[in-house]
Amino acid sequence: MQNTCLDSKLMQEDTSILVIYTGGTIGMQQDLETGALVPVNFDNISREIPALEGYHYNIDSCSFDTPIDSSDMNPYEWVGIARIIEAKYEDYDGFVVLHGSDTMAYTASALSFMLENLNKPVVFTGSQLPMGMLRSDGRDNFIASILIAGEKIDNTPRVPEVVIYFENMLFRANRTFKYNAENFLAFRSGNYPHLAHAGINIAYNDEYIRKPNFKKLIVHKELETNVAVLYLYPGIQPALVNAVLETEGLKGVVMKAFGAGNAPTAQWFLDSIRRAVARGIQIVSVSQCPEGKVEPGKYQASLELKKAGVVGGKDITTESALAKMMYLLGRQFGKDAFSSLFETSLRGEMSS
Ligand code: ASP
Protein backbone atom coordinates (compact mmCIF):
# COMPACT_ATOMS: atom_id res chain seq x y z
CA MET A 1 0.00 0.00 0.00
CA GLN A 2 1.52 3.26 -1.03
CA ASN A 3 -0.24 5.52 1.40
CA THR A 4 -0.20 4.80 5.09
CA CYS A 5 -0.86 7.19 7.92
CA LEU A 6 2.27 8.09 9.78
CA ASP A 7 0.14 9.78 12.45
CA SER A 8 2.68 12.42 13.25
CA LYS A 9 1.14 14.94 15.63
CA LEU A 10 1.68 18.62 14.85
CA MET A 11 -0.51 20.25 17.51
CA GLN A 12 -3.16 19.66 20.18
CA GLU A 13 -6.53 21.47 20.54
CA ASP A 14 -10.27 21.05 19.91
CA THR A 15 -10.88 21.30 16.16
CA SER A 16 -9.26 18.30 14.54
CA ILE A 17 -7.86 18.32 11.01
CA LEU A 18 -6.14 15.49 9.20
CA VAL A 19 -3.53 16.54 6.66
CA ILE A 20 -2.96 13.98 3.92
CA TYR A 21 0.34 14.61 2.18
CA THR A 22 0.68 13.04 -1.27
CA GLY A 23 3.59 15.06 -2.69
CA GLY A 24 3.60 17.85 -5.28
CA THR A 25 5.67 21.02 -5.51
CA ILE A 26 4.62 22.11 -2.01
CA GLY A 27 6.78 19.34 -0.59
CA MET A 28 9.57 19.30 -3.13
CA GLN A 29 13.24 20.12 -2.88
CA GLN A 30 15.82 20.59 -5.57
CA ASP A 31 17.93 17.55 -6.31
CA LEU A 32 21.49 18.80 -5.98
CA GLU A 33 22.75 16.65 -8.85
CA THR A 34 20.07 17.18 -11.50
CA GLY A 35 18.58 20.49 -10.37
CA ALA A 36 15.10 18.96 -10.82
CA LEU A 37 12.40 19.29 -8.16
CA VAL A 38 11.63 16.04 -6.34
CA PRO A 39 9.07 15.31 -3.59
CA VAL A 40 10.45 14.88 -0.05
CA ASN A 41 8.84 13.60 3.14
CA PHE A 42 6.31 15.47 5.26
CA ASP A 43 8.61 16.33 8.16
CA ASN A 44 10.49 18.66 5.88
CA ILE A 45 7.26 20.51 5.16
CA SER A 46 5.89 20.80 8.67
CA ARG A 47 9.21 22.28 9.78
CA GLU A 48 8.50 25.18 7.42
CA ILE A 49 5.22 26.13 9.11
CA PRO A 50 5.96 27.34 12.64
CA ALA A 51 3.04 29.79 12.21
CA LEU A 52 0.61 26.91 12.69
CA GLU A 53 1.74 26.41 16.24
CA GLY A 54 -0.22 29.50 17.33
CA TYR A 55 -3.58 28.07 16.23
CA HIS A 56 -6.07 26.14 18.33
CA TYR A 57 -6.30 23.08 16.14
CA ASN A 58 -5.40 19.50 16.61
CA ILE A 59 -3.60 18.71 13.39
CA ASP A 60 -2.48 15.22 12.57
CA SER A 61 -0.78 14.19 9.41
CA CYS A 62 -0.68 11.20 7.24
CA SER A 63 1.60 10.74 4.27
CA PHE A 64 2.10 8.64 1.18
CA ASP A 65 5.05 6.38 1.96
CA THR A 66 6.60 7.70 -1.21
CA PRO A 67 5.37 11.23 -1.99
CA ILE A 68 4.85 11.74 -5.71
CA ASP A 69 4.69 14.36 -8.41
CA SER A 70 0.99 14.50 -9.28
CA SER A 71 1.87 13.48 -12.85
CA ASP A 72 2.16 9.99 -11.33
CA MET A 73 -1.30 10.12 -9.73
CA ASN A 74 -3.64 7.37 -10.88
CA PRO A 75 -7.06 6.11 -9.83
CA TYR A 76 -5.20 3.67 -7.58
CA GLU A 77 -3.90 6.60 -5.52
CA TRP A 78 -7.32 8.32 -5.62
CA VAL A 79 -8.79 5.22 -3.97
CA GLY A 80 -5.94 5.34 -1.44
CA ILE A 81 -6.88 8.91 -0.46
CA ALA A 82 -10.57 7.94 -0.27
CA ARG A 83 -9.69 5.01 2.01
CA ILE A 84 -7.80 7.28 4.41
CA ILE A 85 -10.76 9.69 4.58
CA GLU A 86 -13.16 6.77 5.11
CA ALA A 87 -11.03 5.29 7.90
CA LYS A 88 -10.55 8.63 9.68
CA TYR A 89 -13.88 10.30 8.84
CA GLU A 90 -15.37 10.20 12.34
CA ASP A 91 -12.13 11.31 14.02
CA TYR A 92 -11.70 14.64 12.25
CA ASP A 93 -13.67 17.81 11.51
CA GLY A 94 -12.04 18.26 8.14
CA PHE A 95 -9.29 17.08 5.80
CA VAL A 96 -6.55 18.90 3.93
CA VAL A 97 -4.97 17.07 1.02
CA LEU A 98 -1.55 18.35 -0.07
CA HIS A 99 -1.22 17.47 -3.74
CA GLY A 100 0.61 18.60 -6.86
CA SER A 101 -1.29 21.14 -8.88
CA ASP A 102 -0.81 19.44 -12.28
CA THR A 103 -3.50 16.79 -11.77
CA MET A 104 -5.17 18.17 -8.66
CA ALA A 105 -8.41 18.96 -10.53
CA TYR A 106 -8.66 15.30 -11.65
CA THR A 107 -8.00 13.82 -8.20
CA ALA A 108 -10.24 16.27 -6.39
CA SER A 109 -13.06 15.80 -8.94
CA ALA A 110 -12.78 12.04 -8.57
CA LEU A 111 -12.91 12.29 -4.78
CA SER A 112 -16.06 14.41 -5.05
CA PHE A 113 -17.82 11.50 -6.80
CA MET A 114 -16.31 8.77 -4.66
CA LEU A 115 -17.35 10.43 -1.39
CA GLU A 116 -21.15 10.28 -1.45
CA ASN A 117 -22.91 12.14 1.38
CA LEU A 118 -19.75 14.00 2.27
CA ASN A 119 -20.59 16.31 5.15
CA LYS A 120 -17.11 17.51 6.03
CA PRO A 121 -14.58 19.69 4.19
CA VAL A 122 -11.94 18.02 2.03
CA VAL A 123 -9.64 20.86 0.99
CA PHE A 124 -7.06 20.20 -1.71
CA THR A 125 -4.12 22.57 -1.87
CA GLY A 126 -0.52 22.73 -2.99
CA SER A 127 1.77 25.41 -4.31
CA GLN A 128 3.67 26.70 -7.29
CA LEU A 129 6.90 27.12 -5.28
CA PRO A 130 8.17 24.56 -2.75
CA MET A 131 7.49 25.32 0.90
CA GLY A 132 11.21 25.63 1.57
CA MET A 133 11.64 28.55 -0.82
CA LEU A 134 11.58 32.11 0.48
CA ARG A 135 8.70 33.30 -1.74
CA SER A 136 6.70 30.08 -1.49
CA ASP A 137 2.93 30.33 -1.84
CA GLY A 138 2.75 27.03 0.08
CA ARG A 139 2.61 28.45 3.58
CA ASP A 140 -0.43 30.70 2.93
CA ASN A 141 -2.18 28.02 0.93
CA PHE A 142 -1.62 25.43 3.63
CA ILE A 143 -2.60 27.62 6.58
CA ALA A 144 -5.75 29.01 4.92
CA SER A 145 -6.76 25.47 3.91
CA ILE A 146 -6.48 24.34 7.53
CA LEU A 147 -8.69 27.24 8.62
CA ILE A 148 -11.27 26.46 5.91
CA ALA A 149 -11.28 22.77 6.81
CA GLY A 150 -12.00 23.70 10.43
CA GLU A 151 -14.55 26.46 9.77
CA LYS A 152 -18.01 25.83 11.25
CA ILE A 153 -21.34 27.59 11.63
CA ASP A 154 -23.47 26.37 14.56
CA ASN A 155 -21.12 23.45 14.97
CA THR A 156 -21.69 22.35 11.35
CA PRO A 157 -18.85 22.45 8.79
CA ARG A 158 -19.23 25.53 6.61
CA VAL A 159 -17.76 23.90 3.49
CA PRO A 160 -18.95 20.28 3.48
CA GLU A 161 -17.61 19.40 0.04
CA VAL A 162 -14.42 18.71 -1.91
CA VAL A 163 -12.76 22.03 -2.72
CA ILE A 164 -9.50 23.46 -4.04
CA TYR A 165 -7.82 26.38 -2.31
CA PHE A 166 -5.10 28.23 -4.19
CA GLU A 167 -3.81 31.80 -3.91
CA ASN A 168 -6.68 33.29 -1.90
CA MET A 169 -9.42 31.56 -3.88
CA LEU A 170 -11.64 28.67 -2.85
CA PHE A 171 -13.33 26.72 -5.63
CA ARG A 172 -15.64 23.73 -5.90
CA ALA A 173 -13.10 21.11 -6.94
CA ASN A 174 -15.15 19.44 -9.66
CA ARG A 175 -15.57 22.81 -11.41
CA THR A 176 -11.87 23.57 -11.67
CA PHE A 177 -9.04 23.13 -14.13
CA LYS A 178 -5.40 24.16 -13.95
CA TYR A 179 -4.97 27.05 -16.32
CA ASN A 180 -1.69 28.67 -15.36
CA ALA A 181 1.72 27.03 -14.92
CA GLU A 182 3.38 30.27 -13.83
CA ASN A 183 1.03 32.36 -11.68
CA PHE A 184 0.36 31.58 -8.05
CA LEU A 185 -3.35 31.51 -8.95
CA ALA A 186 -3.09 28.27 -10.90
CA PHE A 187 -6.76 27.32 -11.06
CA ARG A 188 -9.92 28.59 -12.58
CA SER A 189 -13.57 27.68 -12.26
CA GLY A 190 -15.04 28.84 -15.58
CA ASN A 191 -18.64 27.89 -15.04
CA TYR A 192 -19.19 28.27 -11.31
CA PRO A 193 -18.53 31.15 -8.89
CA HIS A 194 -15.72 30.86 -6.36
CA LEU A 195 -16.80 29.67 -2.91
CA ALA A 196 -14.63 32.03 -0.90
CA HIS A 197 -11.96 34.68 -1.26
CA ALA A 198 -9.30 35.21 1.38
CA GLY A 199 -8.32 38.80 2.03
CA ILE A 200 -7.85 40.09 5.55
CA ASN A 201 -10.78 37.82 6.33
CA ILE A 202 -11.97 34.75 4.48
CA ALA A 203 -15.19 35.90 2.78
CA TYR A 204 -17.41 32.89 2.07
CA ASN A 205 -20.06 32.89 -0.67
CA ASP A 206 -22.34 30.67 1.36
CA GLU A 207 -25.11 30.61 -1.26
CA TYR A 208 -22.81 28.71 -3.65
CA ILE A 209 -21.53 26.19 -1.10
CA ARG A 210 -23.22 22.79 -0.89
CA LYS A 211 -25.37 22.16 2.15
CA PRO A 212 -24.81 19.13 4.40
CA ASN A 213 -27.39 16.32 4.12
CA PHE A 214 -26.30 14.65 7.40
CA LYS A 215 -26.47 11.20 5.81
CA LYS A 216 -23.89 8.50 6.33
CA LEU A 217 -20.77 8.71 4.18
CA ILE A 218 -20.61 6.13 1.40
CA VAL A 219 -17.21 5.65 -0.25
CA HIS A 220 -17.25 4.28 -3.81
CA LYS A 221 -13.96 2.64 -4.71
CA GLU A 222 -14.74 0.93 -8.01
CA LEU A 223 -13.49 3.08 -10.86
CA GLU A 224 -13.49 2.02 -14.52
CA THR A 225 -10.18 3.01 -16.06
CA ASN A 226 -10.85 1.77 -19.60
CA VAL A 227 -11.80 5.24 -20.74
CA ALA A 228 -10.32 7.74 -23.18
CA VAL A 229 -10.38 11.44 -24.02
CA LEU A 230 -10.82 12.15 -27.73
CA TYR A 231 -9.79 15.72 -28.61
CA LEU A 232 -11.32 16.80 -31.92
CA TYR A 233 -9.45 19.14 -34.28
CA PRO A 234 -9.80 20.24 -37.89
CA GLY A 235 -8.20 17.59 -40.07
CA ILE A 236 -8.59 14.74 -37.57
CA GLN A 237 -8.13 11.46 -39.44
CA PRO A 238 -10.33 8.33 -39.50
CA ALA A 239 -7.39 6.15 -38.45
CA LEU A 240 -6.89 8.15 -35.27
CA VAL A 241 -10.58 8.30 -34.34
CA ASN A 242 -10.97 4.59 -35.01
CA ALA A 243 -7.80 3.72 -33.13
CA VAL A 244 -9.28 5.41 -30.05
CA LEU A 245 -12.84 4.13 -30.42
CA GLU A 246 -11.74 0.59 -31.25
CA THR A 247 -9.31 0.30 -28.34
CA GLU A 248 -9.72 -3.13 -26.84
CA GLY A 249 -11.76 -3.12 -23.64
CA LEU A 250 -12.77 0.53 -24.01
CA LYS A 251 -15.89 1.40 -22.01
CA GLY A 252 -16.25 5.16 -22.28
CA VAL A 253 -15.01 8.24 -24.12
CA VAL A 254 -15.02 11.89 -23.17
CA MET A 255 -15.12 13.69 -26.52
CA LYS A 256 -13.74 17.21 -26.46
CA ALA A 257 -15.98 18.78 -29.07
CA PHE A 258 -15.92 22.23 -30.61
CA GLY A 259 -17.81 25.16 -29.05
CA ALA A 260 -21.33 24.19 -28.02
CA GLY A 261 -20.61 20.47 -28.56
CA ASN A 262 -20.08 20.36 -32.32
CA ALA A 263 -18.15 17.78 -34.32
CA PRO A 264 -17.41 16.97 -37.96
CA THR A 265 -20.51 15.96 -39.94
CA ALA A 266 -18.47 13.75 -42.33
CA GLN A 267 -20.07 10.35 -42.89
CA TRP A 268 -16.96 8.41 -41.80
CA PHE A 269 -16.89 10.27 -38.47
CA LEU A 270 -20.56 9.71 -37.68
CA ASP A 271 -20.28 6.07 -38.69
CA SER A 272 -17.35 5.58 -36.31
CA ILE A 273 -19.35 7.14 -33.49
CA ARG A 274 -22.44 5.04 -34.26
CA ARG A 275 -20.39 1.83 -34.37
CA ALA A 276 -18.80 2.63 -31.00
CA VAL A 277 -22.17 3.39 -29.40
CA ALA A 278 -23.56 0.15 -30.85
CA ARG A 279 -20.67 -1.72 -29.19
CA GLY A 280 -21.84 -0.32 -25.85
CA ILE A 281 -19.23 2.43 -25.47
CA GLN A 282 -20.55 5.45 -23.56
CA ILE A 283 -19.59 8.70 -25.27
CA VAL A 284 -20.00 12.05 -23.54
CA SER A 285 -19.33 15.36 -25.27
CA VAL A 286 -17.75 18.28 -23.45
CA SER A 287 -16.67 21.63 -24.83
CA GLN A 288 -13.12 22.62 -25.69
CA CYS A 289 -14.06 26.07 -24.34
CA PRO A 290 -13.23 26.60 -20.66
CA GLU A 291 -16.50 28.53 -20.24
CA GLY A 292 -20.01 27.82 -21.50
CA LYS A 293 -21.70 24.52 -22.23
CA VAL A 294 -22.49 21.94 -24.87
CA GLU A 295 -25.99 22.20 -26.31
CA PRO A 296 -26.75 19.01 -28.25
CA GLY A 297 -28.89 19.76 -31.31
CA LYS A 298 -28.31 23.49 -31.33
CA TYR A 299 -26.36 23.07 -34.56
CA GLN A 300 -26.64 20.42 -37.25
CA ALA A 301 -23.04 19.63 -36.26
CA SER A 302 -24.21 18.29 -32.90
CA LEU A 303 -27.68 17.03 -33.83
CA GLU A 304 -26.32 13.86 -35.46
CA LEU A 305 -24.20 13.10 -32.39
CA LYS A 306 -27.26 13.42 -30.22
CA LYS A 307 -29.20 11.08 -32.51
CA ALA A 308 -26.28 8.62 -32.39
CA GLY A 309 -26.57 8.45 -28.59
CA VAL A 310 -23.76 10.79 -27.52
CA VAL A 311 -24.54 12.24 -24.08
CA GLY A 312 -24.18 16.02 -23.66
CA GLY A 313 -21.99 16.92 -20.70
CA LYS A 314 -23.49 20.41 -20.30
CA ASP A 315 -20.92 22.71 -18.64
CA ILE A 316 -18.84 20.04 -16.92
CA THR A 317 -15.03 20.30 -17.12
CA THR A 318 -13.04 17.63 -18.92
CA GLU A 319 -11.37 16.63 -15.64
CA SER A 320 -14.69 16.21 -13.92
CA ALA A 321 -16.27 14.43 -16.90
CA LEU A 322 -13.46 11.87 -16.94
CA ALA A 323 -13.76 11.29 -13.20
CA LYS A 324 -17.57 11.07 -13.37
CA MET A 325 -17.32 8.60 -16.24
CA MET A 326 -14.89 6.37 -14.28
CA TYR A 327 -17.20 6.58 -11.28
CA LEU A 328 -20.48 5.84 -13.11
CA LEU A 329 -18.96 3.06 -15.23
CA GLY A 330 -17.41 1.63 -12.08
CA ARG A 331 -20.90 1.35 -10.63
CA GLN A 332 -21.93 -0.57 -13.75
CA PHE A 333 -25.09 1.31 -14.63
CA GLY A 334 -26.78 0.36 -17.89
CA LYS A 335 -26.86 2.69 -20.91
CA ASP A 336 -30.03 4.58 -19.95
CA ALA A 337 -29.17 4.98 -16.28
CA PHE A 338 -25.63 6.07 -17.22
CA SER A 339 -26.97 8.72 -19.61
CA SER A 340 -29.51 10.12 -17.23
CA LEU A 341 -27.09 10.14 -14.28
CA PHE A 342 -24.39 11.77 -16.40
CA GLU A 343 -26.83 14.52 -17.37
CA THR A 344 -27.76 15.03 -13.71
CA SER A 345 -25.65 17.06 -11.31
CA LEU A 346 -24.57 14.57 -8.64
CA ARG A 347 -22.08 16.69 -6.67
CA GLY A 348 -22.63 20.16 -8.09
CA GLU A 349 -20.33 19.41 -11.02
CA MET A 350 -22.67 20.80 -13.67
CA SER A 351 -25.44 23.35 -13.99
CA SER A 352 -28.94 21.97 -14.38
N1 ASP B 1 4.59 18.80 -11.07
C1 ASP B 1 4.00 19.28 -9.84
C2 ASP B 1 2.91 18.31 -9.42
O1 ASP B 1 1.83 18.36 -9.93
C3 ASP B 1 3.47 20.66 -10.01
C4 ASP B 1 2.85 21.25 -8.77
O2 ASP B 1 2.76 20.69 -7.72
O3 ASP B 1 2.42 22.42 -8.84
O4 ASP B 1 3.17 17.47 -8.59
Side-chain angles (χ1 to χ4, degrees):
M1 187 64 194
Q2 198 180 16
N3 31 29
T4 49
C5 286
L6 300 177
D7 283 333
S8 81
K9 199 150 277 270
L10 296 182
M11 283 176 303
Q12 283 294 343
E13 282 300 336
D14 40 15
T15 297
S16 290
I17 307 294
L18 181 66
V19 176
I20 303 169
Y21 171 58
T22 71
T25 298
I26 193 164
M28 291 191 186
Q29 278 176 359
Q30 210 159 28
D31 182 284
L32 292 179
E33 242 171 63
T34 64
L37 289 170
V38 287
V40 294
N41 72 36
F42 187 75
D43 293 342
N44 289 335
I45 303 183
S46 53
R47 212 181 297 135
E48 300 291 340
I49 328 169
L52 272 176
E53 272 151 35
Y55 279 90
H56 303 289
Y57 284 82
N58 168 35
I59 302 179
D60 295 332
S61 72
C62 177
S63 173
F64 275 20
D65 291 344
T66 309
I68 55 175
D69 187 296
S70 75
S71 313
D72 284 320
M73 273 283 167
N74 283 301
Y76 176 80
E77 282 78 24
W78 301 347
V79 172
I81 298 169
R83 280 188 202 282
I84 295 172
I85 293 171
E86 181 178 38
K88 304 282 180 178
Y89 192 69
E90 298 305 330
D91 302 338
Y92 293 92
D93 298 287
F95 301 84
V96 171
V97 183
L98 300 178
H99 190 291
S101 64
D102 287 348
T103 66
M104 184 183 289
Y106 291 90
T107 306
S109 294
L111 263 291
S112 78
F113 296 112
M114 296 163 78
L115 303 174
E116 185 175 351
N117 299 330
L118 179 68
N119 282 294
K120 294 184 178 183
V122 175
V123 186
F124 276 74
T125 195
S127 66
Q128 295 279 59
L129 284 176
M131 195 78 104
M133 288 178 75
L134 210 49
R135 290 185 55 245
S136 177
D137 48 331
R139 261 163 261 134
D140 277 358
N141 285 349
F142 186 30
I143 291 166
S145 295
I146 299 275
L147 299 181
I148 291 164
E151 178 76 14
K152 289 183 190 167
I153 299 179
D154 296 336
N155 220 22
T156 302
R158 191 167 191 170
V159 187
E161 57 173 304
V162 183
V163 290
I164 288 183
Y165 181 85
F166 239 84
E167 183 65 4
N168 303 331
M169 302 294 284
L170 186 71
F171 300 114
R172 174 169 299 159
N174 57 30
R175 293 295 199 144
T176 60
F177 54 93
K178 184 173 180 180
Y179 89 105
N180 202 316
E182 159 74 20
N183 283 2
F184 286 142
L185 183 52
F187 289 89
R188 217 175 236 182
S189 168
N191 286 323
Y192 197 74
H194 61 271
L195 305 184
H197 174 258
I200 290 174
N201 297 303
I202 300 179
Y204 290 89
N205 290 330
D206 290 308
E207 77 255 48
Y208 297 118
I209 299 174
R210 282 169 74 77
K211 302 291 168 272
N213 65 9
F214 303 107
K215 290 186 184 162
K216 192 174 170 2
L217 179 75
I218 301 170
V219 182
H220 300 279
K221 302 176 199 109
E222 300 301 323
L223 298 170
E224 174 57 68
T225 53
N226 284 307
V227 296
V229 177
L230 176 61
Y231 199 112
L232 302 184
Y233 51 89
I236 194 165
Q237 293 296 304
L240 185 128
V241 172
N242 291 332
V244 173
L245 296 180
E246 287 165 20
T247 302
E248 210 181 313
L250 189 71
K251 298 280 181 350
V253 175
V254 174
M255 185 169 72
K256 287 209 72 156
F258 305 120
N262 303 314
T265 57
Q267 201 55 44
W268 70 262
F269 182 80
L270 292 170
D271 285 347
S272 297
I273 297 287
R274 287 188 196 110
R275 279 199 306 275
V277 172
R279 285 199 307 278
I281 295 171
Q282 308 285 4
I283 306 181
V284 170
S285 67
V286 300
S287 179
Q288 294 180 10
C289 304
E291 292 184 20
K293 59 175 192 261
V294 301
E295 295 181 74
K298 180 177 180 186
Y299 291 88
Q300 184 67 29
S302 64
L303 186 59
E304 293 307 320
L305 295 179
K306 187 181 174 187
K307 286 190 198 157
V310 172
V311 179
K314 299 185 181 173
D315 61 354
I316 198 168
T317 61
T318 305
E319 291 83 343
S320 193
L322 192 71
K324 186 173 184 177
M325 179 167 268
M326 289 185 186
Y327 162 70
L328 288 178
L329 290 174
R331 295 195 62 190
Q332 304 194 330
F333 292 111
K335 166 94 186 130
D336 291 346
F338 175 93
S339 305
S340 90
L341 285 168
F342 206 100
E343 287 169 342
T344 307
S345 172
L346 302 179
R347 309 281 192 265
E349 72 280 7
M350 53 168 54
S351 308
S352 44

